Amino acid sequence: MNWLRPRQAAVTWVAGILLAACALFMTELSRSSGHLAAIRGAAYIGLTIAGVWGSVLLWNRNDRNALLVMIAAAVLARAALLPATPSLSHDAFRYMWDGRLLRHGVDPYVAPPNDPSLHAFRNDWLYAYIDWNTVPTLYPPVDLALFALADILDDKNTLAIKLLVEVGDLATLSLLIILLRRRNLPIGRAAVYAWSPLVITELAYSGHEEAWCLAALLLAISLTERTRTRLGACVLAVAALVKLYPIALYPAFFPRKSAQPYAIGAALIVAAYAPFYFWHPRVLGFLPAFVAHERFNDTLSAFASPPAAAALLGLAVIVSFIARRRGAPLVGTVIFIELAYLALSPNVYPWYVTIFSALVPLVPGAFVGRMQPLSVGLLGWTLTAPLAYGNGRLYAPDSSIGTIVKAVEYAPVAVGIVIYSLSFLRPKIWPDAFARKGALHSDSAAGS
């Protein structure tokens, strides 16, 4: 069957070219004020088709050509979207605003953008794009440092912050490839992240800082698996200083009795917030009100109060800690906590789901045996997550249309979780092909 190899390589290159072409088309559409939303949707569908098609073709590939086409198409698609002005989310504009304030000696945790004292900062292009202009920031200190650096590099548009986000994005891809090699898994699996339409649009187009959290998280996994515990605890703290939820991952990363990793993480987080605390004690800014009162695209949290949701998440963390003590794989446990966090979070924005594109490829038996429906569900969710953008734009959140769209969005992951759970309740009706074929190592053997 060697004659198929050149043909497979050619088809993969076609998929990669289509991926980059659709990204370029999206950028050109963003420059035109008269284009139809349907045309932009068609471009995103093309990006999705190319991404899924290429990921399937590359999944089991482990050759240099696979690595070349995967990286080339990923970089070209991202480069094509960098000049585009974000429209799906205006967070990148808030990043630049917060960076501007910090750079000029104003505490972003205290003053909202519409504060009269900040009138001098509102005399150019930036302020008009800020959505949450009545509340102070909620971003952790590492984010604010990145935002300030972006403002130093270029305060005329969002290109600087998007470039910094892309450094984190490509670092995540590089770390994913390294971790796959260490597990003796095909490097082509990284295409699930590299060619993910959600990852490409949320990071390269919208410029979300999520990229740096993913990079720190994968680096922490790498260090922890190599028993570099203290350094792993430091890097996980950096991830928590980008997005706070990695704090809940400490018991999964460090299930032993030693308190040292927890002390290191707590010390770094406190040290990062300390300068802001001594500046003004309100270091959490808008975060408490955001968690307590804001609701967007949530699921289980709609039926639970914030304290109840926090208690359930704490229970999930305790369960994961016990599971890790009993030998459960690290990556699988992180996926479990992340699922619990998103299910109980009052706000689930599309870019929150990008983490599954980075983690699922690291599970050796991702598409074999009982893991298959869960993996398909998680990656399916990355494809349906953008449906949430219609919430409040195309339909009212509580309307019947909104309910239907939300059901469609969450259907892949919900079905995947149900089938995966049933496979444990009735194992005889779900043959464990993963164990029977013996083609892959278990998560534990691979160091997950």
Side-chain angles (χ1 to χ4, degrees):
M1 299 296 288
N2 290 337
W3 61 274
L4 286 175
R5 292 179 182 175
R7 180 181 176 184
Q8 289 174 339
V11 171
T12 306
W13 276 103
V14 170
I17 292 170
L18 178 61
L19 185 86
C22 288
L24 181 60
F25 187 42
M26 289 179 65
T27 298
E28 292 303 316
L29 287 174
S30 70
R31 293 171 177 167
S32 171
S33 59
H35 70 271
L36 296 175
I39 300 178
R40 170 180 276 169
Y44 186 82
I45 291 173
L47 190 75
T48 301
I49 292 172
V52 173
W53 182 24
S55 297
V56 172
L57 291 171
L58 288 166
W59 178 259
N60 285 318
R61 296 277 297 277
N62 202 29
D63 54 275
R64 291 183 179 179
N65 187 64
L67 182 64
L68 176 61
V69 64
M70 179 177 66
I71 293 178
V75 171
L76 287 174
R78 286 159 168 79
L81 284 169
L82 279 176
T85 301
S87 62
L88 295 173
S89 164
H90 287 173
D91 283 4
F93 300 101
R94 183 58 186 257
Y95 301 166
M96 295 298 295
W97 175 267
D98 289 346
R100 172 182 293 184
L101 294 188
L102 187 62
R103 183 186 173 195
H104 289 86
V106 179
D107 188 348
Y109 290 120
V110 176
N114 70 342
D115 190 303
S117 65
L118 301 180
H119 177 75
F121 296 101
R122 299 198 293 264
N123 58 0
D124 65 354
W125 63 279
L126 184 56
Y127 181 75
Y129 288 97
I130 299 175
D131 292 330
W132 301 76
N133 58 13
T134 61
V135 295
T137 193
L138 48 66
Y139 297 107
V142 168
D143 280 339
L144 295 182
L146 288 171
F147 304 162
L149 177 59
D151 186 71
I152 292 172
L153 294 175
D154 185 3
D155 63 353
K156 304 302 181 184
N157 52 52
T158 59
L159 182 59
I161 187 61
K162 292 172 73 174
L163 283 171
L164 289 177
V165 165
E166 274 311 299
V167 172
D169 181 20
L170 295 178
T172 301
L173 177 57
S174 301
L175 287 164
L176 179 56
I177 293 171
I178 291 171
L179 285 168
L180 288 170
R181 286 193 179 279
R182 189 179 299 164
R183 286 165 163 73
N184 293 319
L185 294 172
I187 56 175
R189 287 181 169 218
V192 168
Y193 178 86
W195 288 18
S196 165
L198 185 68
V199 171
I200 292 171
T201 53
E202 295 300 340
L203 303 186
Y205 178 49
S206 294
H208 289 293
E209 90 288 12
E210 202 86 14
W212 280 102
C213 180
L214 297 178
L217 185 59
L218 290 191
L219 182 56
I221 289 173
S222 176
L223 292 168
T224 303
E225 290 179 348
R226 296 167 63 188
T227 66
R228 303 184 68 176
T229 304
R230 286 177 289 186
L231 193 53
C234 292
V235 175
L236 190 58
V238 173
L241 289 167
V242 178
K243 303 282 290 189
L244 291 174
Y245 75 83
I247 293 174
L249 299 178
Y250 268 85
F253 273 81
F254 311 107
R256 303 305 170 196
K257 293 182 178 180
S258 174
Q260 187 182 61
Y262 300 90
I264 291 173
L268 287 177
I269 292 171
V270 169
Y273 273 102
F276 293 96
Y277 178 82
F278 290 113
W279 194 358
H280 296 100
R282 290 174 52 191
V283 293
L284 295 180
F286 178 54
L287 182 62
F290 181 75
V291 173
H293 303 296
E294 298 298 328
R295 291 288 185 275
F296 179 82
N297 197 36
D298 57 337
T299 54
L300 298 184
S301 69
F303 309 98
S305 64
L312 289 172
L313 180 59
L315 179 61
V317 172
I318 292 172
V319 169
S320 69
F321 176 78
I322 296 172
R324 284 283 289 143
R325 289 291 298 268
R326 295 181 177 180
L330 174 56
V331 173
T333 308
V334 171
I335 289 175
F336 168 74
I337 297 176
E338 186 66 20
L339 272 173
Y341 162 68
L342 292 177
L344 296 166
S345 174
N347 296 279
V348 183
Y349 289 92
W351 55 92
Y352 292 7
V353 188
T354 55
I355 186 172
F356 298 119
S357 297
L359 293 181
V360 169
L362 295 175
V363 179
F367 290 102
V368 185
R370 59 164 51 104
M371 272 299 299
Q372 184 176 14
L374 182 57
S375 298
V376 171
L378 292 172
L379 296 182
W381 190 11
T382 68
L383 302 180
T384 59
L387 292 173
Y389 282 119
N391 191 332
R393 298 184 182 187
L394 303 178
Y395 50 81
D398 298 327
S399 66
S400 58
I401 295 177
T403 302
I404 293 171
V405 172
K406 182 182 284 190
V408 172
E409 177 195 346
Y410 284 103
V413 67
V415 172
I417 291 173
V418 169
I419 298 176
Y420 176 73
S421 301
L422 288 175
S423 72
F424 286 93
L425 296 176
R426 302 190 64 183
K428 290 184 179 180
I429 66 172
W430 192 273
D432 193 357
F434 174 39
R436 177 163 43 83
K437 289 183 178 180
L440 298 170
H441 299 294
S442 67
D443 275 358
S444 298
S448 297

